[in-house]
Amino acid sequence: MSTERTQRRIASHPVLACPEPEYVRFGFDGEELMGRRGEMVSSALFANGIRVFGHHRADGGAQGIFCANGQCSQCNLLIDGVLQKGCVTALAEGMDVRSVEGLTALAEKPGPDVPAPSTVETDVLVIGAGPAGLAAALELGRAGARTILVDDKERPGGKLVLQTHKFFGSEEDCYAGTRGIEIASILAGQLASQPSVEVWTSSTVLAVFSDGLVGVRRPGGYVLVRPRHLLTASGAREKSLVFPGNTLPGVYGAGAFQTLVNRDLIRSSDRIFIVGGGNVGLIAAYHALQAGMKVAGLVEAMPSCGGYKVHADKIRRLGVPIHTGHTILAAHGTEALEAVTIAGVDGSFRPVPGTERTFRADTLLVAVGLDPVNEFHRKAVEFGIPASMAGDAEEIAEASAAMFSGRIRGMEIACSLGLCLEEPPADWIEKGAVLKSPGGAVHPYSVPAGREGVFPVLHCMQEIPCNPCMTSCPKNLIGTSGHPILGIPEYSEGCIGCEKCVSVCPGLAITLVDFRKDPARPTVSIPFELDSTGLKAGMGLELTDREGGSLGKGVLLATREVPGGRRTVLLRIAVAAEIASRVAGVRVQTDADTAPEPEAWEAPLADDAIVCRCERVTAGEIRSHLRGGVRDLNELKALTRAGFGACGGKTCRMLLARIAREEGIPPSEIELLTERPLFAETPLGFFSGRCPE
């Protein structure tokens, strides 16, 4: 293999196992390359340093991945002569992959033979094998309900398989303190013991029909499912933003980034920038650091981040600047992203002239929120099919809340079908509401004044649903005077220095201070989940306080993993006594990693931004027609082709409505786009049953 290809594979990760791949040969535009058997074609190209997959027929704009989840059409490729999405097509030996250079590149070649459609009946069809779908299917299986769980990925788990961080919530109810990748395996293992539940992976739900049938595209052909009840647990899709350069290869969603890095073990980037200070953006920054990438910064338009404060503090301590009260002005580049320009905003969120700054980056992650994938539920309700929702399809929240809502819906459905007598317990409903709680009030922070013995310092002062520190202490010394899960943790005397609370905390927000051996030079134990192989005893490390402020240097004494600590390394550092209780982390990035360019680059006009990625329709075109009196987005679609593309308007639907609001048009005057009957592109042969005979 070439050096470039080796550089793009993650060979070592502080949390994830990195097995040696089984390589196969494939061709891209006539060049022979190597990829891992079974990985997605788009990932194999990224691993070979290829991020431009073709050019759009309309304006020649470079195309690359955006969602990496089969929701858009940015990664379309000619694979063995058939136009397919690279992000959901598995790589095989000898594949011939070619870029799509406009319509002239399309080749006519028949698709695979498929059998005639079949019809099956079941008690419950669950769409989506993420945290909510898995939890619901478990409850349905325990009740004996005939259940089919459908997911378009090759293994169950949904976004859990991308999460290398430890989860918040309740340890008893939703595995708090356990990493998402481990929770996915736990739930899938439990589900395997339920004989009444079938799991259909690599299968896509295409449509819900008025006669009560649901169409599913499976590897073996087209199947019509008639459920007595339909549960939509299909999660959410990422929102997009309108700004110049937003379609450049290298500009994509945080979920796509996590897919490349944490699922496919590909070092997709060298230097990233992030838009959005919610939990998704903050966690993506952390995942980038874990994989050895530089994070130039994160921008958030609001005065403070909307995600948990412990997530924001965690990346600040590692040296990632968070620019609140700022917005993205433009992404720069020709064939791929080269830099981003940001600016401060005023009280109306308008850019303030003179505040522009440009940062070099090869990747820009757009993490500005999620939209529920609930179209299947809406159709079921329209057609009178008994239906429910769970997880993000119902309400955007953390995965811990999704698991609990799945449990509740599963039991409710089983009861509605007469398969169980008891409704979900009242405390389940209460717990479900608590787990959906966003970050609450931030309480005053005070540093312990003690300078003797050993004790934990709790750097978490925000009301969030989390209790692993309380349940992990063998002496029960950490509790709360408030809500048992939402309350601020409090420590009482008697610590034995076991460090369990330090290693289990999902927010990495607990340190242990030990004055017992040397009161003048105490030891502080700090949780660390980045690559620690280069850290050696005697090294000087730059210390930071809770919010990333510099505290000078400390000397590393040793590294240690607590048994059962789930691969969290503890750094034992000798520090000055006067700062011991203030130390919360170590900085790994330097000022040079995050410095802006000497001068801001000139940003293109805002009207040049692309709104419809599939058809390359600009914001200026949309605004022109709206100002001309167009109020029906279907008419706008006919005039501009916005929403006409292969994704069916999934990425531009909300952007069109947003531009209308920005133009001062009341939502009541806007007629939204009509949804297509099918929610995923499918060859017609699947519906007709094209057989060899």
Side-chain angles (χ1 to χ4, degrees), residues 102 485 594 669:
I485 296 180
T594 61
E669 294 184 17

Side-chain angles (χ1 to χ4, degrees), residues 242-248 329-332 603-610:
V242 177
F243 56 87
N246 62 338
T247 62
L248 280 169
L329 279 189
H332 306 279
L605 296 175
D607 275 355
D608 293 339
I610 300 293

Side-chain angles (χ1 to χ4, degrees), residues 202-280:
S202 301
S203 301
T204 303
V205 176
L206 301 177
V208 177
F209 299 109
S210 59
D211 57 1
L213 292 170
V214 179
V216 182
R217 185 182 68 217
R218 300 200 66 197
Y222 183 51
V223 181
L224 291 166
V225 181
R226 187 183 299 279
R228 296 171 62 192
H229 196 105
L230 178 67
L231 175 62
T232 299
S234 43
R237 60 175 62 95
E238 293 181 278
K239 293 181 178 179
S240 186
L241 275 182
V242 177
F243 56 87
N246 62 338
T247 62
L248 280 169
V251 180
Y252 47 85
F257 175 78
Q258 291 170 332
T259 296
L260 290 167
V261 174
N262 294 342
R263 186 193 71 182
D264 299 334
L265 296 173
I266 293 170
R267 193 172 182 271
S268 62
S269 317
D270 293 320
R271 182 180 171 91
I272 75 170
F273 202 91
I274 300 170
V275 180
N279 282 335
V280 173

Side-chain angles (χ1 to χ4, degrees), residues 608-625:
D608 293 339
I610 300 293
V611 177
C612 175
R613 293 171 165 269
C614 297
E615 298 294 329
R616 305 288 290 187
V617 182
T618 67
E621 293 176 78
I622 300 299
R623 291 191 177 102
S624 175
H625 287 292

Side-chain angles (χ1 to χ4, degrees), residues 59-81:
D59 60 1
Q63 300 278 93
I65 68 164
F66 176 65
C67 75
N69 194 35
Q71 296 287 316
C72 70
S73 60
Q74 300 302 289
C75 63
N76 277 349
L77 292 159
L78 274 177
I79 302 174
D80 290 337

Side-chain angles (χ1 to χ4, degrees), residues 140-153:
L140 290 163
R142 289 166 181 155
R146 292 175 303 150
T147 303
I148 297 175
L149 175 62
V150 179
D151 196 271
D152 60 356
K153 302 300 183 294

Side-chain angles (χ1 to χ4, degrees), residues 235-378:
R237 60 175 62 95
E238 293 181 278
K239 293 181 178 179
S240 186
L241 275 182
V242 177
F243 56 87
N246 62 338
T247 62
L248 280 169
V251 180
Y252 47 85
F257 175 78
Q258 291 170 332
T259 296
L260 290 167
V261 174
N262 294 342
R263 186 193 71 182
D264 299 334
L265 296 173
I266 293 170
R267 193 172 182 271
S268 62
S269 317
D270 293 320
R271 182 180 171 91
I272 75 170
F273 202 91
I274 300 170
V275 180
N279 282 335
V280 173
L282 297 170
I283 290 170
Y286 187 64
H287 288 171
L289 294 170
Q290 282 187 318
M293 304 173 199
K294 300 297 184 183
V295 182
L298 182 149
V299 65
E300 166 58 50
M302 298 297 289
S304 62
C305 288
Y308 292 165
K309 192 174 189 303
V310 287
H311 279 319
D313 290 345
K314 180 169 59 179
I315 64 171
R316 284 191 179 106
R317 291 196 289 267
L318 294 168
V320 177
I322 298 177
H323 307 279
T324 55
H326 283 70
T327 190
I328 180 81
L329 279 189
H332 306 279
T334 51
E335 285 289 278
L337 180 72
E338 299 172 14
V340 299
T341 295
I342 68 172
V345 296
D346 61 18
S348 299
F349 300 103
R350 291 172 300 201
V352 178
T355 63
E356 299 88 352
R357 282 179 289 172
T358 297
F359 297 82
R360 287 279 183 179
D362 62 3
T363 299
L364 175 65
L365 303 186
V366 180
V368 292
L370 303 168
D371 278 325
V373 178
N374 56 14
E375 48 262 38
F376 303 107
H377 179 77
R378 294 200 305 270

